Amino acid sequence: MPQSCMGSLKREKPCAAAWACQVGFPPGPNEANGASFEASGNCMTNQRIDWDKLRVFKVVAELGSMTSAAARLRESPPTVSRKIDELEEFLSSKLFTRSTRGMELTETGKTVLRYARQMEESANEVLSKAIGKTDGTEGRITIGSGDGVGPYWIAPRLAEFQTAHPKAQVRMHVKAEEPDLLNDEADISIQFTEPRDPEIISHKLGTLHYIGFASREYLDAQTSQPSSMFEYHQYSAMITLCRRGGGIALLPTYHQDVYPDLVALDMSEVAPIQFWIAYTEQTRRSPLGNLMIEWIKSLFDKQVSPWFTDEFYHPKQRIEAEAEFHESVSVPRVTGT
């Protein structure tokens, strides 16, 4: 670890003095507004980092605009610009690049933003616990997911989580690209690739098994029911179109529960695809983060649903098992005379 702890922002854990500097606390009651936090020790001597400038930096980074940040902070744009310049000078690093899209973070800027958010979260947690305001399950958490398991399996069940934990604010970002967890694009990610970064923790959630689904109206209109992938176009049709009789959609088997009106074709699976839950140590150590991680894992437990096991389970097996059960309970019991 270099002796000048702010001269090189790296991902390894800094020494104690550096950590106090990078993840400090707001000014105390005897300090003036915008006062600096001073760290001392072998790593840093007479170096100060101004929390007010970090606070301004965080808002600019999140809004991507000096003007928008100034409006939110109720400061003038020149004042905001000056504080950013002074912070960049203090760190001897450029934190932003200016472009037609606004203020974009440099790699150093992304690292500083991560620490600034940690500082804010730590300060809020200390305040909340000091006044007995929370049991650890309040706050905001963001789940990143592609257009699949997140919106179709997790999202419909979020109401249960919110009912149990009304102070939690849960957001779901749905997009094709996996979120950058280290730069706080999300707290938890549901993804189809296993993370390789040592700072990312991951667990396999399960396997998706794809087969063809169609509406009953569509199948009734066909002279013969497809029995293999080679008898229809190999693309995923829109679910709405499929449900309205527009064709066959290639979907994971769990859609049998999501849309019971769809009929699973009598065919073997097309392809099994594994997926993971990923998060950082910071999220895991957060009470709300850990709670959400364990809750998501429970949604894919084989005791809850058979759709995500490594073994292929055809929807017709579920239908046949349910039919046998109903038949067994409906048969009158014969008693002796």
Side-chain angles (χ1 to χ4, degrees), residues 67-272:
T67 304
S68 299
R72 175 176 291 186
L73 295 166
R74 298 183 179 180
E75 298 185 8
S76 67
T79 299
V80 170
S81 179
R82 174 179 57 78
K83 290 180 178 180
I84 295 298
D85 289 342
E86 289 174 354
L87 183 61
E88 288 181 328
E89 183 179 356
F90 175 80
L91 298 176
S92 301
S93 298
K94 295 295 291 182
L95 303 178
F96 294 101
T97 57
R98 280 72 169 174
S99 72
T100 55
R101 293 188 295 273
M103 305 287 289
E104 296 186 349
L105 288 168
T106 63
E107 288 305 310
T108 300
K110 291 177 181 179
T111 302
V112 174
L113 177 61
R114 186 150 54 95
Y115 282 122
R117 283 173 170 164
Q118 289 176 7
M119 291 170 66
E120 183 179 61
E121 290 172 6
S122 297
N124 289 338
E125 186 175 351
V126 168
L127 179 62
S128 296
K129 289 186 176 180
I131 63 177
K133 188 178 177 182
T134 179
D135 61 358
T137 59
E138 83 173 39
R140 186 176 66 187
I141 192 159
T142 302
I143 304 168
S145 171
D147 187 14
V149 171
Y152 288 107
W153 189 258
I154 298 176
R157 293 159 175 78
L158 279 175
E160 303 169 10
F161 185 90
Q162 295 272 210
T163 300
H165 309 285
K167 294 183 178 180
Q169 301 173 37
V170 184
R171 298 188 301 178
M172 179 174 288
H173 288 173
V174 178
K175 61 179 183 178
E177 299 81 16
E178 294 172 358
D180 187 342
L181 297 177
L182 295 178
N183 287 313
D184 297 310
E185 290 184 0
D187 301 297
I188 298 171
S189 173
I190 310 299
Q191 54 191 66
F192 290 106
T193 57
E194 185 176 10
R196 298 301 180 189
D197 193 304
E199 290 192 57
I200 302 296
I201 304 168
S202 66
H203 297 280
K204 180 182 168 185
L205 279 180
T207 302
L208 299 181
H209 304 275
Y210 285 78
I211 61 170
F213 282 88
S215 69
R216 173 52 60 191
E217 291 76 13
Y218 175 83
L219 295 176
D220 288 344
Q222 309 305 307
T223 56
S224 63
Q225 181 171 322
S227 59
S228 76
M229 281 299 295
F230 298 102
E231 295 187 26
Y232 58 85
H233 297 295
Q234 298 186 43
Y235 64 87
S236 296
M238 291 178 61
I239 295 177
T240 301
L241 182 62
C242 176
R243 296 180 69 200
R244 293 180 178 178
I248 296 171
L250 190 64
L251 301 169
T253 51
Y254 71 83
H255 279 280
Q256 183 67 61
D257 281 353
V258 179
Y259 298 111
D261 56 312
L262 289 178
V263 179
L265 301 186
D266 190 7
M267 57 179 289
S268 58
E269 67 174 321
V270 176

